[in-house]
Amino acid sequence: ADAGDGADPAAGGEAAGEEGAGGADAEEGAPEPAPEPEPARFSPGEDPFAPVAVPADPPDLEDLPASGAGALGVVGIYSPVALKMHRRLVPGDPALAASVRGRLYLCASEEELEAFMARPADFVDLRDGAPAPVPPAPLVVVDGAPGAVRTHAADLAAHLRLPLLDVKSLADARIAALPPPYV
């Protein structure tokens, strides 16, 4: 019985060795299992459900659909960052486009695009049916008097990209549009 007991471990050892070699051959032909993905980690203030902005190819504004996927977002051709940060309607650059939930948003500078890409929900309300933000309309008003003030106002409006309202020109246009007895 003792000899049989001694033979069994040796036989078992050889069999185990053969199985191990056979097992190694089987492992070489089989694909390795994919590593388990790491769970996503979020910092305490980060919202894991926040919308994600992705860079978009420069759109041809003439060919965009009026609504739905691929259309301009709620602020249209204007930069959502300039609207939120400066309360101004600044036209965006199609070369600086980002897409959020299938809608395109145009930024006016590289810095604005970076800020928008990092946190798009800070700049636009992405809820379905949310109203478009409308800033107060800043403009420069001048009277018709010639001189340095008028020139300075025109330069200021051009520099700040604001509309220039020339009261004298508007009044002259209204007067010219009146029927003959009033002219």
Side-chain angles (χ1 to χ4, degrees):
D2 285 35
D5 287 338
D8 287 338
E14 287 175 19
E18 288 172 8
E19 285 176 17
D25 290 341
E27 287 178 9
E28 287 177 19
E32 291 186 25
E36 294 212 13
E38 282 192 38
R41 301 196 194 294
F42 297 98
S43 57
E46 193 175 356
D47 180 2
F49 302 105
V52 176
V54 294
D57 292 330
D60 180 5
L61 299 178
E62 306 272 329
D63 294 337
L64 291 177
S67 63
L72 288 172
V74 69
V75 293
I77 63 165
Y78 299 102
S79 169
V81 179
L83 183 57
K84 180 72 172 194
M85 301 297 292
H86 309 294
R87 305 263 311 140
R88 295 205 22 238
L89 291 173
V90 177
D93 181 353
L96 301 172
S99 176
V100 179
R101 294 185 178 162
R103 297 297 184 114
L104 292 175
Y105 295 90
L106 310 178
C107 295
S109 69
E110 288 285 341
E111 294 80 20
E112 286 185 8
L113 180 61
E114 287 177 22
F116 185 75
M117 295 287 291
R119 298 186 62 92
D122 287 354
F123 302 104
V124 288
D125 188 346
L126 298 167
R127 296 173 298 161
D128 289 335
V134 179
L139 52 97
V140 177
V141 179
V142 296
D143 63 6
V149 172
R150 180 179 174 77
T151 304
H152 179 69
D155 290 344
L156 181 64
H159 176 72
L160 296 175
R161 295 188 279 186
L162 295 174
L164 177 66
L165 180 62
D166 181 349
V167 176
K168 182 175 184 328
S169 297
L170 289 174
D172 289 346
R174 292 291 296 232
I175 290 169
L178 291 174
Y182 298 104
V183 178

PDB file of all heavy atoms in Angstrom, residues 111-145:
ATOM      1  N   GLU A 111      -9.586  81.020 -26.526  1.00  0.00           N
ATOM      2  CA  GLU A 111      -9.813  80.976 -25.087  1.00  0.00           C
ATOM      3  C   GLU A 111     -11.277  80.652 -24.781  1.00  0.00           C
ATOM      4  O   GLU A 111     -11.570  79.876 -23.878  1.00  0.00           O
ATOM      5  CB  GLU A 111      -9.432  82.321 -24.434  1.00  0.00           C
ATOM      6  CG  GLU A 111      -7.960  82.649 -24.508  1.00  0.00           C
ATOM      7  CD  GLU A 111      -7.519  83.206 -25.856  1.00  0.00           C
ATOM      8  OE1 GLU A 111      -8.377  83.696 -26.639  1.00  0.00           O
ATOM      9  OE2 GLU A 111      -6.317  83.127 -26.150  1.00  0.00           O
ATOM     10  N   GLU A 112     -12.181  81.255 -25.536  1.00  0.00           N
ATOM     11  CA  GLU A 112     -13.608  80.969 -25.344  1.00  0.00           C
ATOM     12  C   GLU A 112     -13.907  79.506 -25.661  1.00  0.00           C
ATOM     13  O   GLU A 112     -14.672  78.858 -24.956  1.00  0.00           O
ATOM     14  CB  GLU A 112     -14.467  81.878 -26.218  1.00  0.00           C
ATOM     15  CG  GLU A 112     -14.542  83.300 -25.741  1.00  0.00           C
ATOM     16  CD  GLU A 112     -15.500  84.135 -26.567  1.00  0.00           C
ATOM     17  OE1 GLU A 112     -16.225  83.577 -27.424  1.00  0.00           O
ATOM     18  OE2 GLU A 112     -15.525  85.357 -26.343  1.00  0.00           O
ATOM     19  N   LEU A 113     -13.301  78.994 -26.730  1.00  0.00           N
ATOM     20  CA  LEU A 113     -13.532  77.594 -27.102  1.00  0.00           C
ATOM     21  C   LEU A 113     -13.044  76.660 -25.999  1.00  0.00           C
ATOM     22  O   LEU A 113     -13.731  75.700 -25.644  1.00  0.00           O
ATOM     23  CB  LEU A 113     -12.847  77.267 -28.432  1.00  0.00           C
ATOM     24  CG  LEU A 113     -13.020  75.841 -28.932  1.00  0.00           C
ATOM     25  CD1 LEU A 113     -14.491  75.520 -29.177  1.00  0.00           C
ATOM     26  CD2 LEU A 113     -12.214  75.626 -30.209  1.00  0.00           C
ATOM     27  N   GLU A 114     -11.878  76.938 -25.429  1.00  0.00           N
ATOM     28  CA  GLU A 114     -11.356  76.102 -24.343  1.00  0.00           C
ATOM     29  C   GLU A 114     -12.299  76.117 -23.143  1.00  0.00           C
ATOM     30  O   GLU A 114     -12.588  75.079 -22.553  1.00  0.00           O
ATOM     31  CB  GLU A 114      -9.966  76.584 -23.931  1.00  0.00           C
ATOM     32  CG  GLU A 114      -8.889  76.264 -24.933  1.00  0.00           C
ATOM     33  CD  GLU A 114      -7.539  76.833 -24.526  1.00  0.00           C
ATOM     34  OE1 GLU A 114      -7.328  77.111 -23.320  1.00  0.00           O
ATOM     35  OE2 GLU A 114      -6.698  77.013 -25.415  1.00  0.00           O
ATOM     36  N   ALA A 115     -12.775  77.309 -22.791  1.00  0.00           N
ATOM     37  CA  ALA A 115     -13.701  77.420 -21.654  1.00  0.00           C
ATOM     38  C   ALA A 115     -15.000  76.673 -21.946  1.00  0.00           C
ATOM     39  O   ALA A 115     -15.527  75.965 -21.078  1.00  0.00           O
ATOM     40  CB  ALA A 115     -13.987  78.893 -21.354  1.00  0.00           C
ATOM     41  N   PHE A 116     -15.514  76.808 -23.154  1.00  0.00           N
ATOM     42  CA  PHE A 116     -16.763  76.135 -23.520  1.00  0.00           C
ATOM     43  C   PHE A 116     -16.580  74.627 -23.539  1.00  0.00           C
ATOM     44  O   PHE A 116     -17.451  73.885 -23.058  1.00  0.00           O
ATOM     45  CB  PHE A 116     -17.250  76.624 -24.888  1.00  0.00           C
ATOM     46  CG  PHE A 116     -18.589  76.065 -25.265  1.00  0.00           C
ATOM     47  CD1 PHE A 116     -19.748  76.546 -24.683  1.00  0.00           C
ATOM     48  CD2 PHE A 116     -18.699  75.050 -26.201  1.00  0.00           C
ATOM     49  CE1 PHE A 116     -20.992  76.032 -25.012  1.00  0.00           C
ATOM     50  CE2 PHE A 116     -19.931  74.525 -26.543  1.00  0.00           C
ATOM     51  CZ  PHE A 116     -21.083  75.016 -25.946  1.00  0.00           C
ATOM     52  N   MET A 117     -15.463  74.158 -24.081  1.00  0.00           N
ATOM     53  CA  MET A 117     -15.210  72.710 -24.141  1.00  0.00           C
ATOM     54  C   MET A 117     -15.114  72.115 -22.730  1.00  0.00           C
ATOM     55  O   MET A 117     -15.560  71.000 -22.494  1.00  0.00           O
ATOM     56  CB  MET A 117     -13.924  72.422 -24.913  1.00  0.00           C
ATOM     57  CG  MET A 117     -13.972  72.795 -26.377  1.00  0.00           C
ATOM     58  SD  MET A 117     -14.963  71.693 -27.361  1.00  0.00           S
ATOM     59  CE  MET A 117     -13.975  70.232 -27.332  1.00  0.00           C
ATOM     60  N   ALA A 118     -14.553  72.871 -21.796  1.00  0.00           N
ATOM     61  CA  ALA A 118     -14.383  72.366 -20.435  1.00  0.00           C
ATOM     62  C   ALA A 118     -15.715  72.243 -19.695  1.00  0.00           C
ATOM     63  O   ALA A 118     -15.941  71.268 -18.987  1.00  0.00           O
ATOM     64  CB  ALA A 118     -13.438  73.284 -19.650  1.00  0.00           C
ATOM     65  N   ARG A 119     -16.612  73.222 -19.852  1.00  0.00           N
ATOM     66  CA  ARG A 119     -17.872  73.211 -19.104  1.00  0.00           C
ATOM     67  C   ARG A 119     -18.982  73.872 -19.915  1.00  0.00           C
ATOM     68  O   ARG A 119     -19.377  75.001 -19.635  1.00  0.00           O
ATOM     69  CB  ARG A 119     -17.693  73.919 -17.773  1.00  0.00           C
ATOM     70  CG  ARG A 119     -16.649  73.220 -16.875  1.00  0.00           C
ATOM     71  CD  ARG A 119     -16.574  73.836 -15.520  1.00  0.00           C
ATOM     72  NE  ARG A 119     -17.812  73.745 -14.789  1.00  0.00           N
ATOM     73  CZ  ARG A 119     -18.138  72.755 -13.962  1.00  0.00           C
ATOM     74  NH1 ARG A 119     -17.329  71.767 -13.779  1.00  0.00           N
ATOM     75  NH2 ARG A 119     -19.291  72.776 -13.312  1.00  0.00           N
ATOM     76  N   PRO A 120     -19.525  73.196 -20.913  1.00  0.00           N
ATOM     77  CA  PRO A 120     -20.538  73.823 -21.773  1.00  0.00           C
ATOM     78  C   PRO A 120     -21.807  74.232 -21.024  1.00  0.00           C
ATOM     79  O   PRO A 120     -22.428  75.233 -21.371  1.00  0.00           O
ATOM     80  CB  PRO A 120     -20.838  72.757 -22.824  1.00  0.00           C
ATOM     81  CG  PRO A 120     -20.377  71.472 -22.237  1.00  0.00           C
ATOM     82  CD  PRO A 120     -19.233  71.819 -21.316  1.00  0.00           C
ATOM     83  N   ALA A 121     -22.163  73.502 -19.991  1.00  0.00           N
ATOM     84  CA  ALA A 121     -23.392  73.834 -19.262  1.00  0.00           C
ATOM     85  C   ALA A 121     -23.278  75.160 -18.510  1.00  0.00           C
ATOM     86  O   ALA A 121     -24.288  75.736 -18.120  1.00  0.00           O
ATOM     87  CB  ALA A 121     -23.751  72.717 -18.295  1.00  0.00           C
ATOM     88  N   ASP A 122     -22.064  75.666 -18.315  1.00  0.00           N
ATOM     89  CA  ASP A 122     -21.897  76.967 -17.677  1.00  0.00           C
ATOM     90  C   ASP A 122     -22.297  78.109 -18.616  1.00  0.00           C
ATOM     91  O   ASP A 122     -22.541  79.221 -18.170  1.00  0.00           O
ATOM     92  CB  ASP A 122     -20.440  77.187 -17.252  1.00  0.00           C
ATOM     93  CG  ASP A 122     -20.043  76.348 -16.055  1.00  0.00           C
ATOM     94  OD1 ASP A 122     -20.925  75.674 -15.472  1.00  0.00           O
ATOM     95  OD2 ASP A 122     -18.855  76.359 -15.695  1.00  0.00           O
ATOM     96  N   PHE A 123     -22.351  77.830 -19.915  1.00  0.00           N
ATOM     97  CA  PHE A 123     -22.556  78.902 -20.890  1.00  0.00           C
ATOM     98  C   PHE A 123     -23.893  78.836 -21.620  1.00  0.00           C
ATOM     99  O   PHE A 123     -24.358  79.847 -22.129  1.00  0.00           O
ATOM    100  CB  PHE A 123     -21.406  78.906 -21.898  1.00  0.00           C
ATOM    101  CG  PHE A 123     -20.082  79.089 -21.226  1.00  0.00           C
ATOM    102  CD1 PHE A 123     -19.219  78.029 -21.052  1.00  0.00           C
ATOM    103  CD2 PHE A 123     -19.720  80.328 -20.725  1.00  0.00           C
ATOM    104  CE1 PHE A 123     -18.006  78.203 -20.405  1.00  0.00           C
ATOM    105  CE2 PHE A 123     -18.515  80.509 -20.076  1.00  0.00           C
ATOM    106  CZ  PHE A 123     -17.652  79.439 -19.911  1.00  0.00           C
ATOM    107  N   VAL A 124     -24.501  77.669 -21.700  1.00  0.00           N
ATOM    108  CA  VAL A 124     -25.810  77.559 -22.342  1.00  0.00           C
ATOM    109  C   VAL A 124     -26.695  76.617 -21.535  1.00  0.00           C
ATOM    110  O   VAL A 124     -26.221  75.665 -20.935  1.00  0.00           O
ATOM    111  CB  VAL A 124     -25.730  77.046 -23.805  1.00  0.00           C
ATOM    112  CG1 VAL A 124     -25.175  78.097 -24.719  1.00  0.00           C
ATOM    113  CG2 VAL A 124     -24.938  75.780 -23.924  1.00  0.00           C
ATOM    114  N   ASP A 125     -27.976  76.921 -21.538  1.00  0.00           N
ATOM    115  CA  ASP A 125     -28.956  76.058 -20.887  1.00  0.00           C
ATOM    116  C   ASP A 125     -29.299  74.968 -21.897  1.00  0.00           C
ATOM    117  O   ASP A 125     -29.885  75.240 -22.941  1.00  0.00           O
ATOM    118  CB  ASP A 125     -30.194  76.877 -20.522  1.00  0.00           C
ATOM    119  CG  ASP A 125     -31.171  76.092 -19.683  1.00  0.00           C
ATOM    120  OD1 ASP A 125     -31.034  74.850 -19.598  1.00  0.00           O
ATOM    121  OD2 ASP A 125     -32.070  76.717 -19.108  1.00  0.00           O
ATOM    122  N   LEU A 126     -28.899  73.737 -21.599  1.00  0.00           N
ATOM    123  CA  LEU A 126     -29.037  72.642 -22.561  1.00  0.00           C
ATOM    124  C   LEU A 126     -30.318  71.834 -22.370  1.00  0.00           C
ATOM    125  O   LEU A 126     -30.499  70.810 -23.010  1.00  0.00           O
ATOM    126  CB  LEU A 126     -27.811  71.728 -22.460  1.00  0.00           C
ATOM    127  CG  LEU A 126     -26.503  72.432 -22.816  1.00  0.00           C
ATOM    128  CD1 LEU A 126     -25.321  71.594 -22.394  1.00  0.00           C
ATOM    129  CD2 LEU A 126     -26.446  72.740 -24.293  1.00  0.00           C
ATOM    130  N   ARG A 127     -31.209  72.317 -21.532  1.00  0.00           N
ATOM    131  CA  ARG A 127     -32.475  71.603 -21.363  1.00  0.00           C
ATOM    132  C   ARG A 127     -33.306  71.756 -22.628  1.00  0.00           C
ATOM    133  O   ARG A 127     -33.265  72.793 -23.292  1.00  0.00           O
ATOM    134  CB  ARG A 127     -33.261  72.170 -20.191  1.00  0.00           C
ATOM    135  CG  ARG A 127     -32.573  71.992 -18.859  1.00  0.00           C
ATOM    136  CD  ARG A 127     -33.311  72.710 -17.767  1.00  0.00           C
ATOM    137  NE  ARG A 127     -33.318  74.138 -18.084  1.00  0.00           N
ATOM    138  CZ  ARG A 127     -34.163  75.005 -17.564  1.00  0.00           C
ATOM    139  NH1 ARG A 127     -35.084  74.610 -16.710  1.00  0.00           N
ATOM    140  NH2 ARG A 127     -34.108  76.283 -17.881  1.00  0.00           N
ATOM    141  N   ASP A 128     -34.059  70.736 -22.963  1.00  0.00           N
ATOM    142  CA  ASP A 128     -34.941  70.818 -24.123  1.00  0.00           C
ATOM    143  C   ASP A 128     -35.954  71.934 -23.919  1.00  0.00           C
ATOM    144  O   ASP A 128     -36.571  72.036 -22.859  1.00  0.00           O
ATOM    145  CB  ASP A 128     -35.672  69.488 -24.342  1.00  0.00           C
ATOM    146  CG  ASP A 128     -34.750  68.395 -24.840  1.00  0.00           C
ATOM    147  OD1 ASP A 128     -33.723  68.740 -25.451  1.00  0.00           O
ATOM    148  OD2 ASP A 128     -35.051  67.219 -24.610  1.00  0.00           O
ATOM    149  N   GLY A 129     -36.100  72.763 -24.928  1.00  0.00           N
ATOM    150  CA  GLY A 129     -37.072  73.839 -24.877  1.00  0.00           C
ATOM    151  C   GLY A 129     -36.649  75.042 -24.061  1.00  0.00           C
ATOM    152  O   GLY A 129     -37.456  75.931 -23.811  1.00  0.00           O
ATOM    153  N   ALA A 130     -35.387  75.085 -23.614  1.00  0.00           N
ATOM    154  CA  ALA A 130     -34.924  76.232 -22.824  1.00  0.00           C
ATOM    155  C   ALA A 130     -34.905  77.478 -23.697  1.00  0.00           C
ATOM    156  O   ALA A 130     -34.530  77.415 -24.871  1.00  0.00           O
ATOM    157  CB  ALA A 130     -33.534  75.964 -22.264  1.00  0.00           C
ATOM    158  N   PRO A 131     -35.305  78.628 -23.152  1.00  0.00           N
ATOM    159  CA  PRO A 131     -35.305  79.850 -23.955  1.00  0.00           C
ATOM    160  C   PRO A 131     -33.888  80.340 -24.222  1.00  0.00           C
ATOM    161  O   PRO A 131     -32.986  80.093 -23.433  1.00  0.00           O
ATOM    162  CB  PRO A 131     -36.060  80.849 -23.069  1.00  0.00           C
ATOM    163  CG  PRO A 131     -35.842  80.346 -21.682  1.00  0.00           C
ATOM    164  CD  PRO A 131     -35.759  78.847 -21.787  1.00  0.00           C
ATOM    165  N   ALA A 132     -33.716  81.015 -25.325  1.00  0.00           N
ATOM    166  CA  ALA A 132     -32.418  81.590 -25.661  1.00  0.00           C
ATOM    167  C   ALA A 132     -32.143  82.783 -24.760  1.00  0.00           C
ATOM    168  O   ALA A 132     -33.036  83.577 -24.494  1.00  0.00           O
ATOM    169  CB  ALA A 132     -32.395  82.025 -27.118  1.00  0.00           C
ATOM    170  N   PRO A 133     -30.914  82.899 -24.279  1.00  0.00           N
ATOM    171  CA  PRO A 133     -30.595  84.064 -23.464  1.00  0.00           C
ATOM    172  C   PRO A 133     -30.515  85.304 -24.349  1.00  0.00           C
ATOM    173  O   PRO A 133     -29.988  85.258 -25.448  1.00  0.00           O
ATOM    174  CB  PRO A 133     -29.221  83.723 -22.884  1.00  0.00           C
ATOM    175  CG  PRO A 133     -28.641  82.747 -23.837  1.00  0.00           C
ATOM    176  CD  PRO A 133     -29.798  82.004 -24.439  1.00  0.00           C
ATOM    177  N   VAL A 134     -31.055  86.412 -23.874  1.00  0.00           N
ATOM    178  CA  VAL A 134     -31.035  87.640 -24.652  1.00  0.00           C
ATOM    179  C   VAL A 134     -30.423  88.738 -23.786  1.00  0.00           C
ATOM    180  O   VAL A 134     -30.967  89.074 -22.735  1.00  0.00           O
ATOM    181  CB  VAL A 134     -32.450  88.052 -25.100  1.00  0.00           C
ATOM    182  CG1 VAL A 134     -32.414  89.348 -25.875  1.00  0.00           C
ATOM    183  CG2 VAL A 134     -33.077  86.946 -25.930  1.00  0.00           C
ATOM    184  N   PRO A 135     -29.299  89.285 -24.219  1.00  0.00           N
ATOM    185  CA  PRO A 135     -28.666  90.335 -23.426  1.00  0.00           C
ATOM    186  C   PRO A 135     -29.297  91.688 -23.724  1.00  0.00           C
ATOM    187  O   PRO A 135     -29.982  91.848 -24.733  1.00  0.00           O
ATOM    188  CB  PRO A 135     -27.225  90.312 -23.941  1.00  0.00           C
ATOM    189  CG  PRO A 135     -27.388  89.966 -25.382  1.00  0.00           C
ATOM    190  CD  PRO A 135     -28.528  88.966 -25.398  1.00  0.00           C
ATOM    191  N   PRO A 136     -29.061  92.654 -22.845  1.00  0.00           N
ATOM    192  CA  PRO A 136     -29.495  93.997 -23.206  1.00  0.00           C
ATOM    193  C   PRO A 136     -28.699  94.440 -24.420  1.00  0.00           C
ATOM    194  O   PRO A 136     -27.549  94.056 -24.597  1.00  0.00           O
ATOM    195  CB  PRO A 136     -29.142  94.823 -21.970  1.00  0.00           C
ATOM    196  CG  PRO A 136     -28.125  94.029 -21.235  1.00  0.00           C
ATOM    197  CD  PRO A 136     -28.369  92.597 -21.586  1.00  0.00           C
ATOM    198  N   ALA A 137     -29.296  95.219 -25.268  1.00  0.00           N
ATOM    199  CA  ALA A 137     -28.632  95.637 -26.502  1.00  0.00           C
ATOM    200  C   ALA A 137     -27.831  96.911 -26.261  1.00  0.00           C
ATOM    201  O   ALA A 137     -28.389  98.000 -26.230  1.00  0.00           O
ATOM    202  CB  ALA A 137     -29.656  95.860 -27.598  1.00  0.00           C
ATOM    203  N   PRO A 138     -26.507  96.789 -26.066  1.00  0.00           N
ATOM    204  CA  PRO A 138     -25.705  97.995 -25.923  1.00  0.00           C
ATOM    205  C   PRO A 138     -25.502  98.638 -27.291  1.00  0.00           C
ATOM    206  O   PRO A 138     -25.372  97.956 -28.300  1.00  0.00           O
ATOM    207  CB  PRO A 138     -24.386  97.485 -25.350  1.00  0.00           C
ATOM    208  CG  PRO A 138     -24.301  96.076 -25.793  1.00  0.00           C
ATOM    209  CD  PRO A 138     -25.716  95.590 -25.938  1.00  0.00           C
ATOM    210  N   LEU A 139     -25.536  99.957 -27.331  1.00  0.00           N
ATOM    211  CA  LEU A 139     -25.277 100.653 -28.575  1.00  0.00           C
ATOM    212  C   LEU A 139     -24.731 102.028 -28.257  1.00  0.00           C
ATOM    213  O   LEU A 139     -24.804 102.508 -27.134  1.00  0.00           O
ATOM    214  CB  LEU A 139     -26.532 100.755 -29.452  1.00  0.00           C
ATOM    215  CG  LEU A 139     -27.802 101.317 -28.831  1.00  0.00           C
ATOM    216  CD1 LEU A 139     -27.943 102.783 -29.157  1.00  0.00           C
ATOM    217  CD2 LEU A 139     -28.968 100.537 -29.386  1.00  0.00           C
ATOM    218  N   VAL A 140     -24.137 102.649 -29.253  1.00  0.00           N
ATOM    219  CA  VAL A 140     -23.576 103.978 -29.113  1.00  0.00           C
ATOM    220  C   VAL A 140     -24.487 104.927 -29.867  1.00  0.00           C
ATOM    221  O   VAL A 140     -24.801 104.700 -31.030  1.00  0.00           O
ATOM    222  CB  VAL A 140     -22.133 104.036 -29.670  1.00  0.00           C
ATOM    223  CG1 VAL A 140     -21.587 105.453 -29.595  1.00  0.00           C
ATOM    224  CG2 VAL A 140     -21.241 103.064 -28.912  1.00  0.00           C
ATOM    225  N   VAL A 141     -24.943 105.978 -29.182  1.00  0.00           N
ATOM    226  CA  VAL A 141     -25.847 106.947 -29.782  1.00  0.00           C
ATOM    227  C   VAL A 141     -25.090 108.262 -29.974  1.00  0.00           C
ATOM    228  O   VAL A 141     -24.425 108.740 -29.049  1.00  0.00           O
ATOM    229  CB  VAL A 141     -27.081 107.189 -28.888  1.00  0.00           C
ATOM    230  CG1 VAL A 141     -28.008 108.217 -29.507  1.00  0.00           C
ATOM    231  CG2 VAL A 141     -27.805 105.881 -28.629  1.00  0.00           C
ATOM    232  N   VAL A 142     -25.183 108.819 -31.159  1.00  0.00           N
ATOM    233  CA  VAL A 142     -24.578 110.135 -31.425  1.00  0.00           C
ATOM    234  C   VAL A 142     -25.617 111.025 -32.076  1.00  0.00           C
ATOM    235  O   VAL A 142     -26.543 110.561 -32.733  1.00  0.00           O
ATOM    236  CB  VAL A 142     -23.329 110.036 -32.335  1.00  0.00           C
ATOM    237  CG1 VAL A 142     -22.226 109.267 -31.652  1.00  0.00           C
ATOM    238  CG2 VAL A 142     -23.657 109.441 -33.675  1.00  0.00           C
ATOM    239  N   ASP A 143     -25.433 112.321 -31.851  1.00  0.00           N
ATOM    240  CA  ASP A 143     -26.313 113.256 -32.548  1.00  0.00           C
ATOM    241  C   ASP A 143     -25.629 113.641 -33.865  1.00  0.00           C
ATOM    242  O   ASP A 143     -24.572 113.144 -34.193  1.00  0.00           O
ATOM    243  CB  ASP A 143     -26.637 114.468 -31.688  1.00  0.00           C
ATOM    244  CG  ASP A 143     -25.405 115.296 -31.360  1.00  0.00           C
ATOM    245  OD1 ASP A 143     -24.321 114.997 -31.889  1.00  0.00           O
ATOM    246  OD2 ASP A 143     -25.527 116.246 -30.570  1.00  0.00           O
ATOM    247  N   GLY A 144     -26.230 114.507 -34.585  1.00  0.00           N
ATOM    248  CA  GLY A 144     -25.729 114.842 -35.902  1.00  0.00           C
ATOM    249  C   GLY A 144     -24.629 115.875 -35.928  1.00  0.00           C
ATOM    250  O   GLY A 144     -24.102 116.201 -36.985  1.00  0.00           O
ATOM    251  N   ALA A 145     -24.243 116.400 -34.768  1.00  0.00           N
ATOM    252  CA  ALA A 145     -23.235 117.457 -34.758  1.00  0.00           C
ATOM    253  C   ALA A 145     -21.882 116.911 -35.193  1.00  0.00           C
ATOM    254  O   ALA A 145     -21.417 115.907 -34.663  1.00  0.00           O
ATOM    255  CB  ALA A 145     -23.137 118.054 -33.360  1.00  0.00           C
TER     256      ALA A 145
END
